[in-house]
Short mmCIF file of all heavy atoms in Angstrom, two decimals:
data_model
loop_
_atom_site.label_atom_id
_atom_site.label_comp_id
_atom_site.label_asym_id
_atom_site.label_seq_id
_atom_site.Cartn_x
_atom_site.Cartn_y
_atom_site.Cartn_z
N ARG A 408 -29.46 8.70 -1.49
CA ARG A 408 -29.17 9.38 -0.20
C ARG A 408 -29.64 8.62 0.95
O ARG A 408 -28.93 8.49 1.98
CB ARG A 408 -29.86 10.78 -0.24
CG ARG A 408 -29.51 11.67 0.96
CD ARG A 408 -30.31 12.99 0.99
NE ARG A 408 -29.82 13.85 2.01
CZ ARG A 408 -30.03 13.65 3.36
NH1 ARG A 408 -30.54 12.48 3.74
NH2 ARG A 408 -29.60 14.56 4.18
N ARG A 409 -30.84 8.07 0.99
CA ARG A 409 -31.32 7.28 1.95
C ARG A 409 -30.44 6.05 2.23
O ARG A 409 -30.16 5.69 3.36
CB ARG A 409 -32.78 6.84 1.72
CG ARG A 409 -33.78 8.06 1.88
CD ARG A 409 -35.15 7.76 1.69
NE ARG A 409 -35.73 6.43 1.92
CZ ARG A 409 -36.60 5.81 1.22
NH1 ARG A 409 -37.25 6.55 0.22
NH2 ARG A 409 -37.02 4.67 1.42
N LEU A 410 -29.97 5.44 1.19
CA LEU A 410 -29.14 4.31 1.27
C LEU A 410 -27.80 4.68 1.93
O LEU A 410 -27.34 4.04 2.88
CB LEU A 410 -28.88 3.71 -0.11
CG LEU A 410 -27.96 2.48 -0.24
CD1 LEU A 410 -28.34 1.37 0.59
CD2 LEU A 410 -27.83 2.09 -1.70
N LEU A 411 -27.17 5.78 1.51
CA LEU A 411 -25.91 6.21 2.05
C LEU A 411 -26.08 6.56 3.55
O LEU A 411 -25.21 6.31 4.36
CB LEU A 411 -25.26 7.31 1.24
CG LEU A 411 -24.83 7.04 -0.15
CD1 LEU A 411 -24.40 8.24 -0.85
CD2 LEU A 411 -23.72 5.99 -0.09
N ASP A 412 -27.20 7.23 3.80
CA ASP A 412 -27.44 7.61 5.21
C ASP A 412 -27.60 6.37 6.13
O ASP A 412 -27.12 6.31 7.16
CB ASP A 412 -28.71 8.45 5.24
CG ASP A 412 -28.95 9.12 6.61
OD1 ASP A 412 -27.89 9.65 7.26
OD2 ASP A 412 -30.11 9.05 7.17
N ALA A 413 -28.38 5.38 5.59
CA ALA A 413 -28.53 4.13 6.33
C ALA A 413 -27.28 3.40 6.57
O ALA A 413 -26.96 2.92 7.67
CB ALA A 413 -29.54 3.25 5.65
N LEU A 414 -26.34 3.38 5.57
CA LEU A 414 -25.07 2.77 5.70
C LEU A 414 -24.19 3.44 6.67
O LEU A 414 -23.43 2.86 7.44
CB LEU A 414 -24.38 2.69 4.35
CG LEU A 414 -24.91 1.58 3.35
CD1 LEU A 414 -24.34 1.79 2.01
CD2 LEU A 414 -24.73 0.21 3.91
N GLN A 415 -24.25 4.77 6.71
CA GLN A 415 -23.45 5.59 7.70
C GLN A 415 -23.90 5.28 9.15
O GLN A 415 -23.11 5.40 10.04
CB GLN A 415 -23.52 7.05 7.36
CG GLN A 415 -22.73 7.51 6.19
CD GLN A 415 -22.57 9.00 6.16
OE1 GLN A 415 -21.39 9.42 6.28
NE2 GLN A 415 -23.64 9.78 6.01
N GLN A 416 -25.21 5.10 9.29
CA GLN A 416 -25.64 4.79 10.58
C GLN A 416 -25.36 3.35 11.06
O GLN A 416 -24.98 3.16 12.22
CB GLN A 416 -27.23 4.98 10.67
CG GLN A 416 -27.68 6.35 10.35
CD GLN A 416 -26.92 7.48 11.10
OE1 GLN A 416 -26.80 7.42 12.38
NE2 GLN A 416 -26.44 8.54 10.50
N ASP A 417 -25.42 2.39 10.10
CA ASP A 417 -25.12 1.02 10.52
C ASP A 417 -24.88 0.22 9.24
O ASP A 417 -25.86 -0.22 8.51
CB ASP A 417 -26.34 0.37 11.26
CG ASP A 417 -26.00 -1.01 11.70
OD1 ASP A 417 -24.91 -1.49 11.54
OD2 ASP A 417 -26.89 -1.58 12.42
N ALA A 418 -23.67 0.03 8.90
CA ALA A 418 -23.21 -0.73 7.72
C ALA A 418 -23.36 -2.22 7.92
O ALA A 418 -23.09 -3.00 6.98
CB ALA A 418 -21.84 -0.30 7.29
N ASP A 419 -23.81 -2.63 9.13
CA ASP A 419 -23.94 -4.05 9.45
C ASP A 419 -25.36 -4.51 9.10
O ASP A 419 -25.69 -5.71 9.43
CB ASP A 419 -23.61 -4.27 10.90
CG ASP A 419 -23.08 -5.62 11.13
OD1 ASP A 419 -22.61 -6.31 10.29
OD2 ASP A 419 -23.19 -6.07 12.38
N PHE A 420 -26.23 -3.71 8.62
CA PHE A 420 -27.50 -4.14 8.12
C PHE A 420 -27.41 -5.41 7.16
O PHE A 420 -26.49 -5.44 6.44
CB PHE A 420 -28.16 -3.02 7.21
CG PHE A 420 -29.05 -2.03 7.93
CD1 PHE A 420 -28.66 -0.68 7.91
CD2 PHE A 420 -30.16 -2.41 8.61
CE1 PHE A 420 -29.50 0.23 8.47
CE2 PHE A 420 -30.99 -1.49 9.17
CZ PHE A 420 -30.61 -0.15 9.16
N SER A 421 -28.28 -6.30 7.38
CA SER A 421 -28.33 -7.39 6.34
C SER A 421 -28.74 -6.70 5.08
O SER A 421 -29.47 -5.75 5.06
CB SER A 421 -29.38 -8.45 6.82
OG SER A 421 -30.69 -8.06 6.62
N ARG A 422 -28.43 -7.33 3.94
CA ARG A 422 -28.84 -6.77 2.64
C ARG A 422 -30.39 -6.68 2.55
O ARG A 422 -30.92 -5.81 1.99
CB ARG A 422 -28.20 -7.66 1.50
CG ARG A 422 -26.73 -7.54 1.37
CD ARG A 422 -26.34 -6.07 1.01
NE ARG A 422 -24.86 -6.08 0.80
CZ ARG A 422 -24.16 -5.12 1.32
NH1 ARG A 422 -24.58 -4.25 2.14
NH2 ARG A 422 -22.83 -5.12 1.01
N ALA A 423 -31.07 -7.71 3.05
CA ALA A 423 -32.55 -7.72 2.98
C ALA A 423 -33.06 -6.58 3.77
O ALA A 423 -33.99 -5.86 3.40
CB ALA A 423 -33.08 -9.11 3.50
N ASP A 424 -32.51 -6.37 5.02
CA ASP A 424 -33.00 -5.27 5.86
C ASP A 424 -32.77 -3.89 5.24
O ASP A 424 -33.56 -3.01 5.28
CB ASP A 424 -32.40 -5.37 7.27
CG ASP A 424 -32.98 -6.54 8.09
OD1 ASP A 424 -34.04 -7.03 7.72
OD2 ASP A 424 -32.32 -6.89 9.07
N LEU A 425 -31.53 -3.80 4.71
CA LEU A 425 -31.17 -2.58 4.00
C LEU A 425 -32.04 -2.27 2.82
O LEU A 425 -32.47 -1.14 2.62
CB LEU A 425 -29.68 -2.61 3.52
CG LEU A 425 -29.06 -1.33 3.07
CD1 LEU A 425 -29.25 -0.14 4.04
CD2 LEU A 425 -27.59 -1.55 2.79
N ALA A 426 -32.34 -3.29 2.01
CA ALA A 426 -33.20 -3.13 0.89
C ALA A 426 -34.60 -2.69 1.33
O ALA A 426 -35.16 -1.74 0.77
CB ALA A 426 -33.30 -4.48 0.11
N HIS A 427 -35.07 -3.29 2.34
CA HIS A 427 -36.40 -2.92 2.88
C HIS A 427 -36.38 -1.52 3.47
O HIS A 427 -37.32 -0.75 3.22
CB HIS A 427 -36.89 -3.93 4.00
CG HIS A 427 -38.06 -3.60 4.65
ND1 HIS A 427 -39.26 -3.40 3.96
CD2 HIS A 427 -38.43 -3.41 5.92
CE1 HIS A 427 -40.25 -3.07 4.84
NE2 HIS A 427 -39.71 -3.09 6.00
N GLU A 428 -35.31 -1.12 4.13
CA GLU A 428 -35.22 0.16 4.74
C GLU A 428 -35.29 1.29 3.67
O GLU A 428 -35.81 2.28 3.91
CB GLU A 428 -33.83 0.24 5.50
CG GLU A 428 -33.48 1.61 6.09
CD GLU A 428 -34.20 1.89 7.33
OE1 GLU A 428 -34.76 0.95 7.97
OE2 GLU A 428 -34.33 3.11 7.72
N VAL A 429 -34.64 1.07 2.52
CA VAL A 429 -34.65 2.13 1.52
C VAL A 429 -35.65 1.85 0.45
O VAL A 429 -35.80 2.69 -0.55
CB VAL A 429 -33.31 2.27 0.90
CG1 VAL A 429 -32.24 2.68 1.91
CG2 VAL A 429 -32.80 1.07 0.15
N GLY A 430 -36.50 0.87 0.55
CA GLY A 430 -37.59 0.61 -0.44
C GLY A 430 -37.19 0.04 -1.81
O GLY A 430 -37.67 0.34 -2.83
N LEU A 431 -36.17 -0.89 -1.72
CA LEU A 431 -35.68 -1.51 -2.97
C LEU A 431 -35.78 -3.07 -2.83
O LEU A 431 -35.86 -3.59 -1.78
CB LEU A 431 -34.21 -1.16 -3.21
CG LEU A 431 -33.91 0.25 -3.62
CD1 LEU A 431 -32.33 0.44 -3.60
CD2 LEU A 431 -34.46 0.61 -4.91
N SER A 432 -35.76 -3.68 -3.97
CA SER A 432 -35.57 -5.17 -3.99
C SER A 432 -34.12 -5.47 -3.68
O SER A 432 -33.24 -4.64 -3.89
CB SER A 432 -35.97 -5.69 -5.37
OG SER A 432 -35.01 -5.32 -6.32
N PRO A 433 -33.79 -6.68 -3.26
CA PRO A 433 -32.44 -7.00 -3.04
C PRO A 433 -31.55 -6.91 -4.32
O PRO A 433 -30.47 -6.35 -4.25
CB PRO A 433 -32.49 -8.50 -2.58
CG PRO A 433 -33.74 -8.59 -1.97
CD PRO A 433 -34.70 -7.69 -2.78
N ALA A 434 -32.10 -7.16 -5.50
CA ALA A 434 -31.34 -6.99 -6.75
C ALA A 434 -31.13 -5.51 -6.96
O ALA A 434 -30.07 -5.05 -7.49
CB ALA A 434 -32.08 -7.60 -7.88
N GLY A 435 -32.13 -4.73 -6.80
CA GLY A 435 -32.01 -3.28 -6.99
C GLY A 435 -31.01 -2.60 -5.98
O GLY A 435 -30.29 -1.72 -6.38
N LEU A 436 -31.04 -3.10 -4.78
CA LEU A 436 -30.07 -2.65 -3.83
C LEU A 436 -28.67 -2.98 -4.23
O LEU A 436 -27.76 -2.19 -4.24
CB LEU A 436 -30.37 -3.28 -2.43
CG LEU A 436 -29.29 -3.07 -1.33
CD1 LEU A 436 -29.39 -1.62 -0.85
CD2 LEU A 436 -29.31 -4.01 -0.25
N HIS A 437 -28.48 -4.20 -4.77
CA HIS A 437 -27.13 -4.64 -5.16
C HIS A 437 -26.66 -3.77 -6.32
O HIS A 437 -25.50 -3.32 -6.22
CB HIS A 437 -27.20 -6.07 -5.61
CG HIS A 437 -25.83 -6.60 -6.15
ND1 HIS A 437 -24.80 -6.90 -5.31
CD2 HIS A 437 -25.45 -6.75 -7.40
CE1 HIS A 437 -23.77 -7.23 -6.11
NE2 HIS A 437 -24.09 -7.24 -7.36
N LYS A 438 -27.47 -3.47 -7.23
CA LYS A 438 -27.07 -2.58 -8.31
C LYS A 438 -26.65 -1.25 -7.86
O LYS A 438 -25.68 -0.64 -8.37
CB LYS A 438 -28.17 -2.54 -9.34
CG LYS A 438 -28.41 -3.75 -10.22
CD LYS A 438 -29.58 -3.54 -11.18
CE LYS A 438 -29.88 -4.81 -11.92
NZ LYS A 438 -31.09 -4.64 -12.81
N ARG A 439 -27.41 -0.71 -6.98
CA ARG A 439 -27.10 0.70 -6.47
C ARG A 439 -25.90 0.66 -5.72
O ARG A 439 -25.02 1.57 -5.77
CB ARG A 439 -28.26 1.22 -5.59
CG ARG A 439 -29.43 1.68 -6.41
CD ARG A 439 -30.32 2.56 -5.67
NE ARG A 439 -31.45 2.86 -6.50
CZ ARG A 439 -31.82 4.13 -6.86
NH1 ARG A 439 -31.10 5.10 -6.42
NH2 ARG A 439 -32.88 4.32 -7.58
#
Side-chain angles (χ1 to χ4, degrees):
R408 187 188 185 290
R409 286 181 24 215
L410 176 56
L411 292 175
D412 191 44
L414 286 171
Q415 284 194 114
Q416 299 309 313
D417 186 0
D419 207 22
F420 269 117
S421 72
R422 293 294 187 230
D424 289 343
L425 187 56
H427 177 55
E428 176 78 18
V429 299
L431 291 172
S432 68
L436 173 75
H437 178 74
K438 286 179 186 177
R439 284 197 186 242

